[in-house]
Amino acid sequence: MTSVRESARPRTPADDENAEAGARLRSVRPAAVGLSSSRLTPSGRAVLGTGVAACAVGWGLGYAEALALGVAALAAVAFALVWTHPTPSVRARREIVPIRVARDETAQGVVVLHNTGTRTLRGMRAEDRVAGVPVFPVDLPPVPPGAEVRARYRLPTDQRGSVEVGPMLLVRGDPLGLARRVRECGSAETLLVRPRTVPLPVLPAGRTHHLEGPTSDTAEDGTLTFHSLREYVLGDDMRRVHWRSSARTGRLMVRRMIDVSLPTTTVVLDTGQDAYRDGAFETAVDVAASVAEAAARSHFPVRLLTGGGLLPLGDGHDPGADHVLDRLSLVSAESRHTLSDALDVLERLREGDTLVVVTGGELPLPGERLGRMRGRFDRMLVVRVGVSAAATTALGVPQLTVDLLDDLVPAWRREAMR
């Protein structure tokens, strides 16, 4: 494990700017001190056992050499326990930089150690856990009194999902490696590994829309229609309070309106594991995330569906790209839901503008059902992952075939220009 050490220095304004703009660090707090105990390492226990046995043999049989060896071993164990007995006066924390990252991008754990005592701290090591597995021992440099040091290590981001990091252990060992004092610092934090995405243009639909996206959170009343009810929050227009529902629920409820002139992009992700060969499902998630992110960054409405149902994207009609990527970070392939289940959910929803179906190439497509969907959407596209172009079947709707995420960009741009 390779770590990058930083010399003792005060925090600079550049550090604060980086944390706010790119890292968005969370839980940067003094470490909560857990149990602290000094105990022997496996090597220490072996030396202790050897010392006891050597002393017994030397004393019982009169071997002076064995007795001397046993006494030396016991003395080494005693020295190690005395070395690690004092509890170091230190504050420690661990930061995750950044807290959200795309798959295979760099995320780091940053150990911050502040010496609050009067003596230089030596032999300190930070040990962290990722997904419950103890990993990443980081040897810390000597810390003078009142100084602060930092050490960095890279976190694994090769698998999409929510990764629990911590709690961190602060370890102080003796020079012989026979004993160590362990203290638990802070609590576990979560690193969210998102899907990879590529920049895509929004597919133009057949209706007249705000092509440049909405310029505010509201639109002209002529393009607004009722969508649902939600609880009142400070700043809501009181003219949109639904008094009958408010009286029935005992809470102030307001109408949530949507702008029907904005093109709605509906992304259907097939989560049936039988539809994909090895590794293809992750590419399919990346494709769905790229399509949804493109619409969300243009402030167009987005709907995400899987065989399990409609994925919630927050209270607002414009969820933002962050909500879209966070939600797709947690989807997984399963055997109980198929593309047909996702189409069942889609048939119960209102029609939209653009429909993109992302699926694998291991199962035949329900061509008849997909053909019926085309009449409910202005633009429809099927993206198949892990299938050759020669193996595609005629559906009456445009199809794209990709093996890697980077294959999507040129094919998508050609489709957008049609």
Short mmCIF file of all heavy atoms in Angstrom, two decimals, residues 34-98:
data_model
loop_
_atom_site.label_atom_id
_atom_site.label_comp_id
_atom_site.label_asym_id
_atom_site.label_seq_id
_atom_site.Cartn_x
_atom_site.Cartn_y
_atom_site.Cartn_z
N GLY A 34 -12.71 5.74 21.02
CA GLY A 34 -13.32 4.50 21.44
C GLY A 34 -12.44 3.78 22.43
O GLY A 34 -11.65 4.39 23.17
N LEU A 35 -12.55 2.48 22.47
CA LEU A 35 -11.76 1.69 23.41
C LEU A 35 -10.29 1.75 23.04
O LEU A 35 -9.93 1.69 21.87
CB LEU A 35 -12.26 0.24 23.39
CG LEU A 35 -13.68 0.01 23.88
CD1 LEU A 35 -14.03 -1.47 23.75
CD2 LEU A 35 -13.85 0.47 25.32
N SER A 36 -9.43 1.88 24.06
CA SER A 36 -8.00 1.91 23.85
C SER A 36 -7.38 0.83 24.72
O SER A 36 -7.61 0.79 25.93
CB SER A 36 -7.43 3.29 24.22
OG SER A 36 -6.03 3.31 24.05
N SER A 37 -6.60 -0.04 24.12
CA SER A 37 -6.03 -1.14 24.86
C SER A 37 -4.67 -1.49 24.29
O SER A 37 -4.42 -1.35 23.10
CB SER A 37 -6.94 -2.38 24.81
OG SER A 37 -7.12 -2.80 23.48
N SER A 38 -3.78 -1.92 25.17
CA SER A 38 -2.47 -2.37 24.76
C SER A 38 -2.46 -3.89 24.80
O SER A 38 -2.80 -4.49 25.83
CB SER A 38 -1.39 -1.78 25.68
OG SER A 38 -0.11 -2.22 25.30
N ARG A 39 -2.06 -4.51 23.69
CA ARG A 39 -2.08 -5.97 23.65
C ARG A 39 -0.93 -6.47 22.78
O ARG A 39 -0.39 -5.72 21.95
CB ARG A 39 -3.41 -6.48 23.11
CG ARG A 39 -3.76 -6.04 21.71
CD ARG A 39 -5.05 -6.68 21.26
NE ARG A 39 -5.41 -6.33 19.90
CZ ARG A 39 -6.25 -5.38 19.58
NH1 ARG A 39 -6.80 -4.67 20.55
NH2 ARG A 39 -6.55 -5.12 18.33
N LEU A 40 -0.61 -7.73 22.97
CA LEU A 40 0.48 -8.33 22.22
C LEU A 40 0.04 -8.67 20.80
O LEU A 40 -1.10 -9.06 20.57
CB LEU A 40 0.96 -9.61 22.93
CG LEU A 40 1.61 -9.43 24.31
CD1 LEU A 40 1.96 -10.80 24.89
CD2 LEU A 40 2.84 -8.55 24.24
N THR A 41 0.97 -8.55 19.90
CA THR A 41 0.75 -8.98 18.53
C THR A 41 1.00 -10.48 18.44
O THR A 41 1.50 -11.10 19.39
CB THR A 41 1.69 -8.23 17.58
OG1 THR A 41 3.04 -8.59 17.90
CG2 THR A 41 1.53 -6.72 17.72
N PRO A 42 0.67 -11.13 17.33
CA PRO A 42 1.03 -12.55 17.19
C PRO A 42 2.51 -12.82 17.41
O PRO A 42 2.88 -13.83 18.02
CB PRO A 42 0.60 -12.86 15.75
CG PRO A 42 -0.52 -11.92 15.48
CD PRO A 42 -0.17 -10.67 16.21
N SER A 43 3.37 -11.91 16.94
CA SER A 43 4.81 -12.08 17.19
C SER A 43 5.11 -11.96 18.68
O SER A 43 5.95 -12.70 19.22
CB SER A 43 5.60 -11.02 16.41
OG SER A 43 5.42 -11.19 15.02
N GLY A 44 4.42 -11.02 19.34
CA GLY A 44 4.64 -10.86 20.78
C GLY A 44 4.21 -12.08 21.57
O GLY A 44 4.89 -12.49 22.52
N ARG A 45 3.09 -12.69 21.17
CA ARG A 45 2.64 -13.89 21.87
C ARG A 45 3.62 -15.05 21.64
O ARG A 45 3.87 -15.87 22.53
CB ARG A 45 1.24 -14.26 21.42
CG ARG A 45 0.17 -13.28 21.91
CD ARG A 45 -1.22 -13.84 21.70
NE ARG A 45 -1.55 -13.96 20.29
CZ ARG A 45 -2.14 -13.00 19.57
NH1 ARG A 45 -2.42 -11.84 20.16
NH2 ARG A 45 -2.42 -13.18 18.31
N ALA A 46 4.16 -15.12 20.42
CA ALA A 46 5.13 -16.18 20.14
C ALA A 46 6.40 -15.99 20.96
O ALA A 46 6.95 -16.97 21.51
CB ALA A 46 5.46 -16.18 18.64
N VAL A 47 6.86 -14.76 21.08
CA VAL A 47 8.06 -14.49 21.87
C VAL A 47 7.79 -14.77 23.35
O VAL A 47 8.65 -15.33 24.06
CB VAL A 47 8.54 -13.05 21.65
CG1 VAL A 47 9.66 -12.69 22.64
CG2 VAL A 47 9.01 -12.85 20.23
N LEU A 48 6.59 -14.41 23.83
CA LEU A 48 6.23 -14.68 25.22
C LEU A 48 6.22 -16.18 25.48
O LEU A 48 6.78 -16.65 26.50
CB LEU A 48 4.87 -14.08 25.53
CG LEU A 48 4.32 -14.35 26.94
CD1 LEU A 48 5.23 -13.75 28.00
CD2 LEU A 48 2.89 -13.80 27.07
N GLY A 49 5.61 -16.95 24.60
CA GLY A 49 5.59 -18.40 24.79
C GLY A 49 6.99 -19.00 24.74
O GLY A 49 7.32 -19.91 25.54
N THR A 50 7.81 -18.50 23.82
CA THR A 50 9.18 -18.99 23.73
C THR A 50 9.96 -18.67 25.00
O THR A 50 10.72 -19.50 25.52
CB THR A 50 9.88 -18.37 22.51
OG1 THR A 50 9.17 -18.71 21.33
CG2 THR A 50 11.32 -18.87 22.40
N GLY A 51 9.75 -17.46 25.54
CA GLY A 51 10.46 -17.08 26.76
C GLY A 51 10.07 -17.93 27.95
O GLY A 51 10.93 -18.35 28.74
N VAL A 52 8.76 -18.19 28.10
CA VAL A 52 8.30 -19.02 29.21
C VAL A 52 8.86 -20.43 29.09
O VAL A 52 9.34 -21.03 30.06
CB VAL A 52 6.76 -19.03 29.26
CG1 VAL A 52 6.26 -20.04 30.28
CG2 VAL A 52 6.24 -17.64 29.61
N ALA A 53 8.80 -20.99 27.87
CA ALA A 53 9.31 -22.34 27.68
C ALA A 53 10.82 -22.41 27.91
O ALA A 53 11.33 -23.36 28.54
CB ALA A 53 8.97 -22.81 26.26
N ALA A 54 11.56 -21.43 27.42
CA ALA A 54 13.01 -21.44 27.60
C ALA A 54 13.38 -21.30 29.07
O ALA A 54 14.31 -21.96 29.56
CB ALA A 54 13.64 -20.32 26.78
N CYS A 55 12.66 -20.46 29.79
CA CYS A 55 12.93 -20.30 31.22
C CYS A 55 12.64 -21.60 31.98
O CYS A 55 13.39 -22.00 32.88
CB CYS A 55 12.12 -19.15 31.80
SG CYS A 55 12.72 -17.52 31.34
N ALA A 56 11.55 -22.27 31.60
CA ALA A 56 11.20 -23.51 32.28
C ALA A 56 12.25 -24.58 32.02
O ALA A 56 12.68 -25.31 32.94
CB ALA A 56 9.83 -23.98 31.81
N VAL A 57 12.69 -24.70 30.77
CA VAL A 57 13.71 -25.70 30.44
C VAL A 57 15.04 -25.36 31.10
O VAL A 57 15.73 -26.23 31.69
CB VAL A 57 13.87 -25.80 28.91
CG1 VAL A 57 15.07 -26.68 28.55
CG2 VAL A 57 12.61 -26.37 28.28
N GLY A 58 15.43 -24.10 31.02
CA GLY A 58 16.69 -23.71 31.61
C GLY A 58 16.73 -23.85 33.11
O GLY A 58 17.73 -24.28 33.69
N TRP A 59 15.62 -23.49 33.77
CA TRP A 59 15.56 -23.61 35.24
C TRP A 59 15.46 -25.06 35.68
O TRP A 59 16.12 -25.49 36.62
CB TRP A 59 14.38 -22.82 35.75
CG TRP A 59 14.25 -22.83 37.26
CD1 TRP A 59 13.57 -23.70 38.03
CD2 TRP A 59 14.88 -21.93 38.14
NE1 TRP A 59 13.68 -23.40 39.36
CE2 TRP A 59 14.50 -22.30 39.47
CE3 TRP A 59 15.72 -20.81 37.98
CZ2 TRP A 59 14.94 -21.61 40.60
CZ3 TRP A 59 16.14 -20.12 39.10
CH2 TRP A 59 15.76 -20.53 40.39
N GLY A 60 14.65 -25.83 34.97
CA GLY A 60 14.43 -27.21 35.39
C GLY A 60 15.59 -28.12 35.10
O GLY A 60 15.89 -29.03 35.88
N LEU A 61 16.25 -27.91 33.97
CA LEU A 61 17.34 -28.81 33.56
C LEU A 61 18.72 -28.21 33.79
O LEU A 61 19.73 -28.85 33.50
CB LEU A 61 17.19 -29.17 32.08
CG LEU A 61 15.87 -29.87 31.70
CD1 LEU A 61 15.84 -30.18 30.21
CD2 LEU A 61 15.69 -31.16 32.52
N GLY A 62 18.76 -26.99 34.25
CA GLY A 62 20.04 -26.38 34.57
C GLY A 62 20.82 -25.88 33.39
O GLY A 62 22.05 -25.80 33.44
N TYR A 63 20.12 -25.53 32.28
CA TYR A 63 20.77 -24.98 31.10
C TYR A 63 20.81 -23.46 31.22
O TYR A 63 19.78 -22.79 31.10
CB TYR A 63 20.06 -25.37 29.82
CG TYR A 63 20.21 -26.83 29.47
CD1 TYR A 63 19.10 -27.65 29.30
CD2 TYR A 63 21.48 -27.39 29.30
CE1 TYR A 63 19.24 -28.99 28.97
CE2 TYR A 63 21.63 -28.74 28.97
CZ TYR A 63 20.50 -29.51 28.83
OH TYR A 63 20.66 -30.84 28.50
N ALA A 64 21.99 -22.93 31.47
CA ALA A 64 22.11 -21.48 31.65
C ALA A 64 21.79 -20.73 30.36
O ALA A 64 21.20 -19.63 30.38
CB ALA A 64 23.52 -21.14 32.12
N GLU A 65 22.17 -21.29 29.20
CA GLU A 65 21.91 -20.62 27.93
C GLU A 65 20.41 -20.50 27.66
O GLU A 65 19.92 -19.46 27.22
CB GLU A 65 22.58 -21.38 26.78
CG GLU A 65 24.09 -21.39 26.83
CD GLU A 65 24.64 -22.45 27.75
OE1 GLU A 65 23.83 -23.16 28.40
OE2 GLU A 65 25.88 -22.60 27.84
N ALA A 66 19.68 -21.59 27.92
CA ALA A 66 18.22 -21.54 27.72
C ALA A 66 17.58 -20.55 28.68
O ALA A 66 16.64 -19.82 28.31
CB ALA A 66 17.63 -22.93 27.90
N LEU A 67 18.05 -20.51 29.90
CA LEU A 67 17.50 -19.57 30.87
C LEU A 67 17.76 -18.13 30.45
O LEU A 67 16.88 -17.26 30.55
CB LEU A 67 18.09 -19.85 32.25
CG LEU A 67 17.58 -18.97 33.40
CD1 LEU A 67 16.07 -19.14 33.57
CD2 LEU A 67 18.32 -19.30 34.70
N ALA A 68 18.96 -17.87 29.95
CA ALA A 68 19.27 -16.51 29.49
C ALA A 68 18.41 -16.11 28.29
O ALA A 68 17.93 -14.97 28.19
CB ALA A 68 20.75 -16.42 29.12
N LEU A 69 18.20 -17.06 27.38
CA LEU A 69 17.34 -16.79 26.23
C LEU A 69 15.92 -16.49 26.67
O LEU A 69 15.26 -15.57 26.15
CB LEU A 69 17.37 -17.98 25.29
CG LEU A 69 16.46 -17.88 24.05
CD1 LEU A 69 16.88 -16.71 23.17
CD2 LEU A 69 16.48 -19.18 23.25
N GLY A 70 15.41 -17.27 27.64
CA GLY A 70 14.05 -17.04 28.12
C GLY A 70 13.91 -15.70 28.80
O GLY A 70 12.91 -14.98 28.61
N VAL A 71 14.90 -15.33 29.61
CA VAL A 71 14.84 -14.03 30.31
C VAL A 71 14.89 -12.89 29.29
O VAL A 71 14.15 -11.89 29.41
CB VAL A 71 16.00 -13.92 31.31
CG1 VAL A 71 16.09 -12.50 31.88
CG2 VAL A 71 15.81 -14.91 32.44
N ALA A 72 15.73 -13.03 28.26
CA ALA A 72 15.80 -11.98 27.23
C ALA A 72 14.47 -11.85 26.49
O ALA A 72 14.02 -10.73 26.19
CB ALA A 72 16.93 -12.30 26.25
N ALA A 73 13.83 -12.97 26.19
CA ALA A 73 12.54 -12.91 25.50
C ALA A 73 11.48 -12.25 26.36
O ALA A 73 10.70 -11.41 25.89
CB ALA A 73 12.11 -14.32 25.09
N LEU A 74 11.43 -12.62 27.64
CA LEU A 74 10.45 -12.00 28.54
C LEU A 74 10.74 -10.52 28.72
O LEU A 74 9.81 -9.70 28.84
CB LEU A 74 10.45 -12.73 29.88
CG LEU A 74 9.98 -14.19 29.84
CD1 LEU A 74 10.05 -14.80 31.23
CD2 LEU A 74 8.56 -14.28 29.29
N ALA A 75 12.01 -10.16 28.76
CA ALA A 75 12.35 -8.75 28.90
C ALA A 75 11.91 -7.95 27.67
O ALA A 75 11.45 -6.80 27.79
CB ALA A 75 13.86 -8.60 29.11
N ALA A 76 12.05 -8.54 26.49
CA ALA A 76 11.61 -7.86 25.27
C ALA A 76 10.10 -7.64 25.28
O ALA A 76 9.61 -6.57 24.88
CB ALA A 76 12.03 -8.68 24.04
N VAL A 77 9.35 -8.64 25.75
CA VAL A 77 7.89 -8.48 25.83
C VAL A 77 7.53 -7.40 26.85
O VAL A 77 6.64 -6.57 26.61
CB VAL A 77 7.24 -9.83 26.19
CG1 VAL A 77 5.76 -9.65 26.47
CG2 VAL A 77 7.45 -10.84 25.07
N ALA A 78 8.22 -7.41 27.98
CA ALA A 78 7.95 -6.38 28.98
C ALA A 78 8.26 -4.98 28.44
O ALA A 78 7.52 -4.02 28.67
CB ALA A 78 8.77 -6.67 30.24
N PHE A 79 9.38 -4.85 27.72
CA PHE A 79 9.73 -3.56 27.12
C PHE A 79 8.64 -3.10 26.14
O PHE A 79 8.28 -1.93 26.11
CB PHE A 79 11.07 -3.69 26.40
CG PHE A 79 11.38 -2.55 25.47
CD1 PHE A 79 11.83 -1.34 25.98
CD2 PHE A 79 11.19 -2.68 24.10
CE1 PHE A 79 12.11 -0.28 25.12
CE2 PHE A 79 11.46 -1.63 23.25
CZ PHE A 79 11.92 -0.42 23.76
N ALA A 80 8.12 -4.03 25.32
CA ALA A 80 7.08 -3.67 24.35
C ALA A 80 5.82 -3.19 25.05
O ALA A 80 5.19 -2.21 24.61
CB ALA A 80 6.78 -4.86 23.45
N LEU A 81 5.42 -3.85 26.14
CA LEU A 81 4.21 -3.45 26.86
C LEU A 81 4.40 -2.09 27.52
O LEU A 81 3.48 -1.26 27.53
CB LEU A 81 3.85 -4.51 27.89
CG LEU A 81 3.37 -5.85 27.32
CD1 LEU A 81 3.17 -6.87 28.43
CD2 LEU A 81 2.06 -5.67 26.53
N VAL A 82 5.58 -1.84 28.07
CA VAL A 82 5.85 -0.54 28.69
C VAL A 82 5.85 0.56 27.63
O VAL A 82 5.35 1.67 27.85
CB VAL A 82 7.19 -0.58 29.46
CG1 VAL A 82 7.59 0.82 29.91
CG2 VAL A 82 7.08 -1.51 30.65
N TRP A 83 6.41 0.25 26.45
CA TRP A 83 6.48 1.25 25.37
C TRP A 83 5.08 1.68 24.92
O TRP A 83 4.84 2.85 24.66
CB TRP A 83 7.27 0.66 24.21
CG TRP A 83 7.41 1.58 23.03
CD1 TRP A 83 6.49 1.84 22.06
CD2 TRP A 83 8.54 2.39 22.70
NE1 TRP A 83 6.96 2.73 21.15
CE2 TRP A 83 8.23 3.09 21.52
CE3 TRP A 83 9.81 2.56 23.29
CZ2 TRP A 83 9.14 3.96 20.92
CZ3 TRP A 83 10.70 3.43 22.68
CH2 TRP A 83 10.37 4.11 21.52
N THR A 84 4.19 0.73 24.80
CA THR A 84 2.85 1.03 24.28
C THR A 84 1.84 1.35 25.36
O THR A 84 0.67 1.61 25.04
CB THR A 84 2.34 -0.16 23.45
OG1 THR A 84 2.31 -1.33 24.27
CG2 THR A 84 3.22 -0.40 22.25
N HIS A 85 2.23 1.30 26.63
CA HIS A 85 1.26 1.52 27.71
C HIS A 85 0.72 2.94 27.75
O HIS A 85 -0.49 3.14 27.91
CB HIS A 85 1.86 1.15 29.05
CG HIS A 85 0.93 1.42 30.21
ND1 HIS A 85 -0.21 0.68 30.43
CD2 HIS A 85 0.98 2.37 31.19
CE1 HIS A 85 -0.84 1.16 31.49
NE2 HIS A 85 -0.14 2.18 31.97
N PRO A 86 1.56 4.00 27.64
CA PRO A 86 1.01 5.36 27.73
C PRO A 86 0.00 5.63 26.62
O PRO A 86 0.22 5.27 25.45
CB PRO A 86 2.25 6.25 27.61
CG PRO A 86 3.39 5.36 27.94
CD PRO A 86 3.02 4.01 27.45
N THR A 87 -1.08 6.26 26.97
CA THR A 87 -2.09 6.65 25.97
C THR A 87 -1.67 7.95 25.33
O THR A 87 -1.52 8.97 26.02
CB THR A 87 -3.46 6.80 26.61
OG1 THR A 87 -3.84 5.57 27.23
CG2 THR A 87 -4.51 7.20 25.58
N PRO A 88 -1.45 7.99 24.02
CA PRO A 88 -0.99 9.23 23.37
C PRO A 88 -2.08 10.29 23.41
O PRO A 88 -3.27 10.01 23.26
CB PRO A 88 -0.68 8.79 21.94
CG PRO A 88 -1.49 7.56 21.74
CD PRO A 88 -1.59 6.88 23.06
N SER A 89 -1.64 11.52 23.63
CA SER A 89 -2.57 12.66 23.62
C SER A 89 -2.65 13.17 22.19
O SER A 89 -1.76 13.89 21.71
CB SER A 89 -2.06 13.75 24.57
OG SER A 89 -2.94 14.85 24.57
N VAL A 90 -3.70 12.80 21.50
CA VAL A 90 -3.78 13.08 20.08
C VAL A 90 -5.24 13.19 19.65
O VAL A 90 -6.12 12.55 20.24
CB VAL A 90 -3.06 11.96 19.27
CG1 VAL A 90 -3.76 10.63 19.48
CG2 VAL A 90 -2.98 12.29 17.79
N ARG A 91 -5.48 14.02 18.64
CA ARG A 91 -6.79 14.08 17.98
C ARG A 91 -6.61 13.57 16.55
O ARG A 91 -5.66 13.97 15.87
CB ARG A 91 -7.34 15.50 17.96
CG ARG A 91 -7.80 16.01 19.32
CD ARG A 91 -8.80 17.18 19.15
NE ARG A 91 -8.25 18.23 18.32
CZ ARG A 91 -7.60 19.29 18.76
NH1 ARG A 91 -7.38 19.43 20.06
NH2 ARG A 91 -7.15 20.21 17.93
N ALA A 92 -7.51 12.74 16.13
CA ALA A 92 -7.39 12.14 14.79
C ALA A 92 -8.74 12.14 14.11
O ALA A 92 -9.79 12.03 14.75
CB ALA A 92 -6.85 10.71 14.88
N ARG A 93 -8.70 12.28 12.79
CA ARG A 93 -9.92 12.17 11.99
C ARG A 93 -9.53 11.67 10.61
O ARG A 93 -8.37 11.71 10.19
CB ARG A 93 -10.67 13.50 11.89
CG ARG A 93 -9.97 14.56 11.04
CD ARG A 93 -10.81 15.82 10.97
NE ARG A 93 -10.25 16.81 10.06
CZ ARG A 93 -9.41 17.76 10.40
NH1 ARG A 93 -9.03 17.87 11.65
NH2 ARG A 93 -8.97 18.61 9.50
N ARG A 94 -10.52 11.20 9.90
CA ARG A 94 -10.32 10.74 8.54
C ARG A 94 -11.35 11.40 7.63
O ARG A 94 -12.53 11.44 7.95
CB ARG A 94 -10.42 9.22 8.45
CG ARG A 94 -10.09 8.68 7.06
CD ARG A 94 -11.27 8.11 6.35
NE ARG A 94 -11.82 7.00 7.10
CZ ARG A 94 -12.95 7.07 7.80
NH1 ARG A 94 -13.63 8.20 7.85
NH2 ARG A 94 -13.41 6.03 8.46
N GLU A 95 -10.90 11.94 6.52
CA GLU A 95 -11.77 12.59 5.55
C GLU A 95 -11.77 11.76 4.27
O GLU A 95 -10.76 11.15 3.91
CB GLU A 95 -11.28 14.02 5.26
CG GLU A 95 -11.14 14.89 6.50
CD GLU A 95 -10.39 16.18 6.22
OE1 GLU A 95 -9.92 16.34 5.07
OE2 GLU A 95 -10.26 17.00 7.14
N ILE A 96 -12.89 11.75 3.57
CA ILE A 96 -12.99 11.09 2.27
C ILE A 96 -13.09 12.17 1.21
O ILE A 96 -13.95 13.04 1.25
CB ILE A 96 -14.22 10.16 2.21
CG1 ILE A 96 -14.10 9.06 3.27
CG2 ILE A 96 -14.36 9.55 0.83
CD1 ILE A 96 -15.28 8.13 3.31
N VAL A 97 -12.20 12.13 0.24
CA VAL A 97 -12.10 13.17 -0.78
C VAL A 97 -12.12 12.54 -2.17
O VAL A 97 -11.17 11.84 -2.53
CB VAL A 97 -10.78 13.97 -0.60
CG1 VAL A 97 -10.73 15.14 -1.57
CG2 VAL A 97 -10.61 14.45 0.82
N PRO A 98 -13.18 12.75 -2.97
CA PRO A 98 -14.46 13.33 -2.62
C PRO A 98 -15.41 12.28 -2.05
O PRO A 98 -15.09 11.08 -2.08
CB PRO A 98 -14.98 13.85 -3.96
CG PRO A 98 -14.40 12.89 -4.95
CD PRO A 98 -13.07 12.45 -4.41
#
